[in-house]
Amino acid sequence: MLQLHTLDIDTLPINVAIYKKEGNDFIFQDFNTQAEKTENIRREALLNKKLTEVFPAVKEFGLFDVLKRVAESGKSELLDAGFYQDERIQGWRRNHVVKLTEGTVAAFYEDCSIEKQKEQEHSELKTSLQYQKEVFEHIMDDSTAISIQGYDEHHNVIYWNKGSELLYGYSKEEALGKHLEALIIPDTMKQHVSSLIDNWLEEGTPIPSSEVVLIDKDGNDVHVLSHHVMIQLDEDHYEMYCIDIDLSNIDALKEKLHTQENLLQTIMNLIPDLVWMKNLEGKYMACNTAVERFSGHTKAEILGKTDFDFFEEEVAQSFQKNDQIAIKLDGYHINEEKLHSADGSKEGYFETIKTPMKDAKGELIGVVGIARDITERKEREKTLQLSANYDHLTGLANRLLFLNRMKHLLNHRESTQQYHALLFIDLDAFKNINDTQGHDTGDLILKKVSKVLQKFVRKEDTVARIGGDEFTILLENISSPYDAGMIAQKIIDAMQKSIFIKNKHFYISASIGIAISPDDTFSADSLLSYADTAMYHAKATGKNNYKFYKKDFSYQSFEKLLVENDLRHALENDEFLLYYQPQVILETKQSIGLEALLRWNHPQKGIIEPIEFMKIAETSGQFNAIGIWIMKQAMTDMVQWKKMKIDIETISINLSIRQLEDETLVSTLEQLLKETECHPEWIEFEIPEKYITMDNKTISKKLNDIHQLACKISIENFGMGYTSLTGLQHLPIHKVVLHRTLIHSIGVEEEKEITISTLILIAKQFKLGIIAKCIENKNQEKFLIENDCHLGQGFLYTKPMPKEELQTNVKLFDVSTL
């Protein structure tokens, strides 16, 4: 098994993904920097995610089965797997899968699309050649005008057409397998012919075409013109073909030659590629119908003419130059040419093969050319190139191309008097547009923004889209950092104008971070990171502005920005989860309800409690979305537990003042209850005590609207001094929750104990339920029971735990056993 634990996979130039087997799936355990660039995704977004959730099509291409086999057998495997870069283009990746430790495998992969494409093209060419060979053999088999025989390297007959049967008198069955010298070679020539063939095989000296007198089956002389072709099949195997023309009758010969010419033309016409022959003066001697179709001229119009009669002088000269290269090489010359028909109506890319044409004496007489249309292949290559380097939505450079240009620029600085600036641009609150208006509208806005950004740069500058709503601009060779600030301000000003899409006006603002080279760094990666950091400072100071990177940014501020950045992806990456803490009857320890408590399962930091991130969520505009997620998830879980016949009366959900002030709260609750099919009486909302001391009319309407839905309402932190007794009497309050500081004072501060007793009496007077939170010891429990408080929750009974842990505990609703 391969050991990678001591190796930093980020130093590897190949893509590396490490998975850990979990059940019937694999979990992303690590993902190196090269793979991040290839997939255009951060490893934080993948860690601890299931492979089949991130890449649903992984089982279709065979990689999933290979991972399972390697994990089980420990034997490494190599797999070329297909994938879709988008809905139109298929590519290939070569995966080398190895086992690291028990249950852990690594996939080293790289793009092999070009290689696969060449294999496919080779296969297509091979199929085409095989087809042409079959057509040729079919025509030759039935040809009676020309004798064609084939021999192997041992001089044995392997091919014998009808022309050979007529000329030499042997049937095909009689001839196959016989030795050439024993078949049609006179005794006086046998040794000489055998030596010529062996010399061709061993020394490569071809047998020249010549007139010879052979013999037929009856021993009669046969006067023929014999031409010979040697084909090497592999290192050890050869085939020699003899083309013999009967010279016994000159008139018959002329007719046969004419037939051969027609036959050659027929064969040429069967070839779908452009085929032609030119003499040494560059005049066309022959061409097939493919040339006629492409050029728009008949064969009669083409023969005897040169390229200068059909093409512009510059094009004709390039053709003539390639002809001369083939002649000089005395072999094949392959090149790619863009060909145009004479009238300009047709054009395309062609792969052209040219080779010298010689007569029977070996004298050069012209050039043979074959041109294959590769326009579609070139378009595929162009599309693959664009896909690899440009954003498909906006047409701007993507992250990969942007980083490559930036690295090249910083590595080839020509002057220390010039500056390079990187502007990192993030659209403010763009997620809200996607969520409320749909991604189609969001995409149209991104296209508009990309056009705005391009208005403020020069030809040598680069504008890129490197993420969902993140753009970067690389300004080359500016005279002062001040110039970058001017560009940033122009962009911010331009964003103030509304964008009109689908009969609506949208107002977009942007936060921009700026980093300068060489002042801040000479490193491309650091420059991008610094500009990113500066952008988050721009957001933290009110958004819709720009900030230059400063090295004295405080660590605390930087940490806050990191948290805010991670929060932006937490919802879409499904990183939030709910913990539940049972609420019990103090005397019996029987659970009657649960409180829903938010947790963030951070990919690197693990479980984080709300106190560490909810204030940041408020300032970053993500608070309401998180609140809606909490309510929907709690309702969904409650419905599931009811279906499982688990006897829970209510789930308690906390509502903040910010949520209560949201005008859409009640309609949102109605929608969530309908979507989840949750009964409203199963839900109890805890509202801050401070809230009911605010605007009475607004409070009363909001709480009554919630009450009208049939949801319960309780006051949390009861006893902190805000509550109005009138409020308790006239508002639809179901229960009060004693503040944890009061519970902690039991047995410590006698005055606080008197306060608790008084609060319990007040609640009873108003016929309200009462519950104590954060009960940690038996003394606190005893005091509460003695003072007529019979509901509570806290670590004395059980800590908050995730849904799965609650469900698997059979004795969940008798917490005295936990």
Side-chain angles (χ1 to χ4, degrees):
M1 290 184 291
L2 185 63
Q3 299 293 321
L4 281 179
H5 63 277
T6 59
L7 176 65
D8 182 3
I9 63 174
D10 283 338
T11 63
L12 298 177
I14 194 171
N15 304 294
V16 182
I18 299 177
Y19 309 94
K20 182 174 181 62
K21 193 169 189 307
E22 184 172 297
N24 290 325
D25 210 332
F26 288 86
I27 304 299
F28 278 93
Q29 202 171 45
D30 208 350
F31 201 65
N32 76 341
T33 302
Q34 183 62 37
E36 284 183 317
K37 295 176 181 178
T38 299
E39 306 298 349
N40 195 19
I41 189 171
R42 296 183 180 177
R43 73 182 74 188
E44 291 84 0
L46 294 178
L47 295 184
N48 299 317
K49 296 293 190 309
K50 291 182 178 180
L51 176 58
T52 56
E53 293 178 356
V54 178
F55 300 116
V58 68
K59 292 186 177 181
E60 297 176 18
F61 300 119
L63 178 58
F64 191 84
D65 290 336
V66 170
L67 292 173
K68 287 178 65 177
R69 288 199 299 272
V70 172
E72 292 168 4
S73 68
K75 295 181 180 179
S76 301
E77 289 192 33
L78 192 67
L79 171 70
D80 289 347
F83 70 100
Y84 285 94
Q85 295 176 328
D86 57 39
E87 65 272 17
R88 294 174 293 102
I89 302 172
Q90 185 181 31
W92 291 84
R93 287 181 178 163
R94 180 155 295 149
N95 300 266
H96 186 194
V97 183
V98 299
K99 185 173 183 178
L100 302 181
T101 60
E102 193 60 32
T104 305
V105 294
F108 300 81
Y109 65 94
E110 59 185 346
D111 192 284
C112 63
S113 301
I114 301 299
E115 181 180 339
K116 282 289 182 180
Q117 179 181 321
K118 290 188 179 299
E119 288 179 4
Q120 181 179 352
E121 292 171 358
H122 177 73
S123 175
E124 292 173 353
L125 179 60
K126 187 175 180 182
T127 301
S128 176
L129 290 174
Q130 179 62 29
Y131 169 74
Q132 294 172 21
K133 180 181 178 182
E134 290 173 359
V135 171
F136 177 78
E137 288 182 353
H138 176 73
I139 295 172
M140 291 299 99
D141 278 345
D142 295 330
S143 174
T144 58
I146 301 175
S147 166
I148 301 177
Q149 319 108 50
Y151 303 92
D152 63 18
E153 64 271 10
H154 303 298
H155 309 189
N156 295 321
V157 178
I158 59 172
Y159 181 78
W160 194 266
N161 77 337
K162 286 187 178 181
S164 300
E165 290 181 337
L166 293 173
L167 187 61
Y168 295 108
Y170 294 99
S171 69
K172 182 178 181 180
E173 292 74 15
E174 290 175 318
L176 290 178
K178 296 295 192 301
H179 206 263
L180 165 65
E181 288 85 336
L183 201 63
I184 59 174
I185 305 300
D187 291 338
T188 56
M189 295 176 58
K190 288 182 179 179
Q191 185 175 354
H192 177 64
V193 169
S194 181
S195 298
L196 286 175
I197 296 173
D198 291 339
N199 190 47
W200 196 352
L201 290 169
E202 296 170 5
E203 305 295 333
T205 304
I207 300 173
S209 299
S210 61
E211 294 184 19
V212 294
V213 178
L214 306 178
I215 57 174
D216 64 12
K217 182 178 180 179
D218 297 327
N220 300 315
D221 290 346
V222 180
H223 188 200
V224 297
L225 173 63
S226 187
H227 180 70
H228 317 90
V229 177
M230 184 72 74
I231 299 175
Q232 183 174 0
L233 302 179
D234 54 38
E235 187 175 358
D236 300 316
H237 297 88
Y238 295 80
E239 291 181 357
M240 182 182 75
Y241 287 86
C242 298
I243 299 97
D244 295 342
I245 300 174
D246 188 3
L247 299 180
S248 59
N249 189 309
I250 299 300
D251 291 335
L253 175 61
K254 289 180 180 179
E255 183 178 348
K256 290 177 181 178
L257 285 174
H258 182 67
T259 301
Q260 172 66 10
E261 184 180 74
N262 289 337
L263 184 60
L264 178 61
Q265 186 66 51
T266 300
I267 295 171
M268 288 175 59
N269 290 341
L270 287 171
I271 300 172
D273 301 328
L274 279 64
V275 182
W276 66 89
M277 299 177 187
K278 297 179 189 175
N279 63 17
L280 293 177
E281 296 177 352
K283 294 180 178 179
Y284 284 94
M285 299 168 57
C287 68
N288 67 352
T289 53
V291 173
E292 292 182 281
R293 285 194 300 269
F294 182 79
S295 67
H297 295 282
T298 65
K299 178 182 174 183
E301 293 171 333
I302 296 172
L303 299 187
K305 303 287 181 62
T306 70
D307 291 323
F308 291 93
D309 294 312
F310 302 110
F311 301 100
E312 294 181 359
E313 184 174 355
E314 184 178 351
V315 176
Q317 285 177 347
S318 70
F319 294 162
Q320 190 179 64
K321 179 181 177 182
N322 287 326
D323 292 345
Q324 294 304 313
I325 292 174
I327 292 172
K328 186 176 180 180
L329 290 174
D330 195 21
Y332 293 110
H333 173 57
I334 303 174
N335 67 292
E336 292 183 4
E337 297 175 333
K338 189 172 184 180
L339 302 182
H340 300 262
S341 60
D343 61 2
S345 62
K346 302 175 186 176
E347 68 174 22
Y349 286 96
F350 287 79
E351 183 178 70
T352 303
I353 303 174
K354 294 181 179 179
T355 187
M357 183 170 56
K358 299 181 180 181
D359 62 14
K361 298 179 181 179
E363 297 292 333
L364 181 69
I365 60 172
V367 174
V368 178
I370 301 177
R372 166 162 293 181
D373 190 342
I374 58 170
T375 305
E376 288 188 10
R377 191 188 83 190
K378 296 294 287 186
E379 289 297 325
R380 288 199 301 269
E381 291 176 355
K382 182 179 179 181
T383 303
L384 286 170
Q385 182 72 11
L386 288 173
S387 176
N389 292 288
Y390 292 90
D391 175 51
H392 73 277
L393 177 65
T394 63
L396 298 176
N398 63 12
R399 176 184 286 269
L400 177 63
L401 180 58
F402 183 81
L403 287 174
N404 287 340
R405 287 185 179 176
M406 183 165 59
K407 288 176 181 178
H408 181 270
L409 180 66
L410 298 185
N411 290 336
H412 298 82
R413 287 184 59 84
E414 297 179 357
S415 170
T416 58
Q417 305 300 317
Q418 297 289 321
Y419 298 89
H420 304 313
L422 195 159
L423 278 62
F424 198 115
I425 304 158
D426 186 272
L427 304 184
D428 299 325
F430 182 75
K431 184 178 183 299
N432 292 338
I433 293 177
N434 269 340
D435 291 344
T436 59
Q437 304 298 320
H439 287 275
D440 289 346
T441 299
D443 287 349
L444 292 174
I445 290 175
L446 291 174
K447 288 182 179 181
K448 293 275 190 180
V449 169
S450 70
K451 293 185 183 300
V452 171
L453 298 179
Q454 293 176 82
K455 292 179 180 178
F456 300 103
V457 299
R458 302 159 298 174
K459 184 178 180 180
E460 63 267 29
D461 300 327
T462 300
V463 182
R465 179 181 176 226
I466 64 170
D469 60 345
E470 294 177 337
F471 297 84
T472 50
I473 296 177
L474 181 62
L475 300 175
E476 298 187 18
N477 298 317
I478 58 176
S479 58
S480 166
Y482 175 75
D483 295 341
M486 289 181 62
I487 296 296
Q489 189 59 54
K490 287 180 180 179
I491 292 172
I492 290 170
D493 292 343
M495 292 289 190
Q496 304 302 313
K497 298 178 181 178
S498 68
I499 296 177
F500 188 69
I501 292 175
K502 294 184 177 180
N503 296 319
K504 291 183 180 179
H505 289 277
F506 295 92
Y507 292 89
I508 306 296
S509 64
S511 298
I512 304 176
I514 306 173
I516 303 295
S517 178
D519 289 4
D520 296 325
T521 180
F522 288 96
S523 163
D525 291 333
S526 296
L527 195 68
L528 183 63
S529 176
Y530 292 164
D532 190 15
T533 300
M535 181 273 292
Y536 282 115
H537 275 271
K539 281 189 175 294
T541 54
K543 304 179 182 178
N544 194 32
N545 69 99
Y546 69 88
K547 294 290 182 185
F548 281 92
Y549 173 75
K550 295 181 181 179
K551 293 183 179 179
D552 61 351
F553 282 162
S554 69
Y555 176 78
Q556 181 180 2
S557 176
F558 185 66
E559 280 293 299
K560 178 183 176 184
L561 291 171
L562 289 178
V563 171
E564 181 178 332
N565 183 43
D566 290 346
L567 265 177
R568 297 171 69 203
H569 305 290
L571 266 178
E572 58 190 61
N573 293 337
D574 199 23
E575 294 173 6
F576 289 120
L577 68 159
L578 291 182
Y579 273 37
Y580 292 97
Q581 187 172 37
Q583 298 173 334
V584 304
I585 298 173
L586 300 185
E587 290 86 351
T588 65
K589 309 302 184 292
Q590 179 186 358
S591 177
I592 60 168
L594 299 169
E595 181 180 11
L597 301 167
L598 179 65
R599 297 291 186 268
W600 179 10
N601 187 13
H602 192 281
Q604 283 77 45
K605 300 177 182 179
I607 300 298
I608 303 176
E609 295 199 5
I611 193 171
E612 297 185 42
F613 63 84
M614 284 307 286
K615 285 190 176 180
I616 298 176
E618 287 190 36
T619 59
S620 64
Q622 300 168 79
F623 187 87
N624 284 344
I626 295 173
I628 291 172
W629 181 89
I630 294 171
M631 291 187 288
K632 184 173 183 179
Q633 188 62 47
M635 292 176 186
T636 301
D637 291 344
M638 186 63 166
V639 171
Q640 182 181 353
W641 287 326
K642 287 292 185 180
K643 289 179 180 179
M644 295 169 64
K645 307 299 183 184
I646 297 177
D647 189 17
I648 303 172
E649 291 183 13
T650 57
I651 285 183
S652 179
I653 303 171
N654 290 281
L655 287 180
S656 69
I657 292 177
R658 178 184 286 267
Q659 288 174 287
L660 289 161
E661 291 176 339
D662 183 358
E663 294 181 359
T664 66
L665 174 62
V666 176
S667 61
T668 299
L669 290 177
E670 286 182 301
Q671 182 65 27
L672 292 176
L673 289 166
K674 182 178 179 181
E675 286 181 12
T676 61
E677 299 182 353
C678 180
H679 292 201
E681 63 269 19
W682 296 344
I683 303 299
E684 179 176 311
F685 290 109
E686 291 187 14
I687 65 172
E689 184 186 35
K690 185 177 181 180
Y691 178 69
I692 65 174
T693 66
M694 300 166 68
D695 181 356
N696 244 353
K697 291 182 180 179
T698 303
I699 295 167
S700 179
K701 184 178 186 314
K702 184 64 65 69
L703 296 184
N704 277 300
D705 287 345
I706 295 174
H707 181 67
Q708 286 296 317
L709 296 176
C711 296
K712 299 180 179 70
I713 300 172
S714 61
I715 301 175
E716 79 171 325
N717 299 334
F718 186 64
M720 296 306 294
Y722 297 110
T723 306
S724 162
L725 296 181
T726 303
L728 290 177
Q729 184 176 5
H730 296 290
L731 295 175
I733 307 299
H734 168 71
K735 185 189 298 179
V736 294
V737 183
L738 292 177
H739 194 267
R740 64 178 181 275
T741 57
L742 295 174
I743 307 304
H744 291 165
S745 69
I746 295 174
V748 179
E749 299 180 50
E750 187 176 347
E751 290 183 3
K752 292 286 180 68
E753 290 180 348
I754 295 172
T755 301
I756 293 172
S757 301
T758 304
L759 291 172
I760 293 173
L761 287 173
I762 292 171
K764 294 293 183 181
Q765 185 67 32
F766 285 100
K767 297 181 181 181
L768 299 175
I770 187 162
I771 185 170
K773 287 187 178 181
C774 303
I775 302 174
E776 296 180 353
N777 58 60
K778 288 288 185 180
N779 287 334
Q780 295 169 352
E781 179 188 66
K782 182 173 180 290
F783 176 87
L784 291 166
I785 292 173
E786 290 174 350
N787 284 273
D788 209 16
C789 175
H790 303 286
L791 299 178
Q793 68 185 78
F795 278 26
L796 178 62
Y797 311 109
T798 179
K799 65 180 181 179
M801 62 185 73
K803 175 180 66 175
E804 293 75 16
E805 188 174 341
L806 282 170
Q807 290 177 181
T808 55
N809 196 318
V810 179
K811 300 177 181 179
L812 168 66
F813 298 103
D814 183 5
V815 295
S816 62
T817 63
L818 295 181

